[in-house]
C-alpha cells in the first residue's frame, strides 16, 4: 500500500514535463514487449499504441484469467509469483 493512495503515482507521472501521452481507462488485450524496442499495446477496440514506458494497473483476477496476453510471455519467475498470489480481504489504514 502507498501512503496517501496510488493516485500519487499517476499524479507524479502526469507532472513530468516531457510527458507526451497519458492514456487512461483503456482496456489492454495484448502487450508485445521488448527491452530494445518500444512496447506495443493492442486495446480492446483493436487500436494500437507504441510506448517507451508503460504503467499498467491490471486487476489480479484479470492477470490470473489471462485476459491480457503478453508477447513474449512473462518470465517464469513473474508467472510463478502470480500463481502464488491469492485473493483476500483488504483493509486500508490511513497514514
Amino acid at each position: 500500500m502507498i501512503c496517501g493512495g496510488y493516485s500519487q503515482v499517476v499524479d507524479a507521472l502526469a507532472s513530468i514535463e516531457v510527458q507526451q501521452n497519458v492514456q487512461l481507462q483503456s482496456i489492454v488485450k495484448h502487450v508485445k514487449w521488448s527491452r530494445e524496442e518500444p512496447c506495443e499495446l493492442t486495446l480492446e477496440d483493436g487500436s494500437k499504441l507504441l510506448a517507451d514506458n508503460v504503467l499498467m494497473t491490471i486487476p489480479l483476477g484479470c492477470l490470473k484469467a489471462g485476459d491480457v496476453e503478453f508477447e513474449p510471455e512473462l518470465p517464469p519467475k513473474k508467472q510463478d509469483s502470480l500463481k502464488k498470489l491469492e485473493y483476500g480481504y483488504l483493509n486500508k489504514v490511513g497514514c
Side-chain angles (χ1 to χ4, degrees), residues 15-94:
S15 71
I16 298 172
E17 289 186 30
V18 295
Q19 190 70 40
Q20 294 177 355
N21 183 17
V22 175
Q23 186 82 27
L24 302 174
Q25 299 178 353
S26 299
I27 299 174
V28 176
K29 299 307 277 180
H30 186 267
V31 178
K32 185 176 180 182
W33 63 278
S34 165
R35 297 196 191 282
E36 294 83 32
E37 297 184 24
C39 185
E40 181 182 276
L41 307 171
T42 304
L43 304 182
E44 185 177 46
D45 65 4
S47 62
K48 294 183 186 278
L49 300 171
L50 290 177
D52 293 325
N53 299 288
V54 176
L55 171 66
M56 298 174 67
T57 55
I58 304 172
L60 179 58
C62 294
L63 283 172
K64 285 183 168 262
D67 291 346
V68 179
E69 181 183 331
F70 291 89
E71 181 186 338
E73 290 185 351
L74 293 175
K77 190 172 182 177
K78 292 195 186 300
Q79 289 184 39
D80 291 342
S81 294
L82 283 172
K83 288 177 188 172
K84 292 176 185 173
L85 286 173
E86 296 181 6
Y87 303 99
Y89 293 104
L90 172 68
N91 294 313
K92 292 185 178 183
V93 177

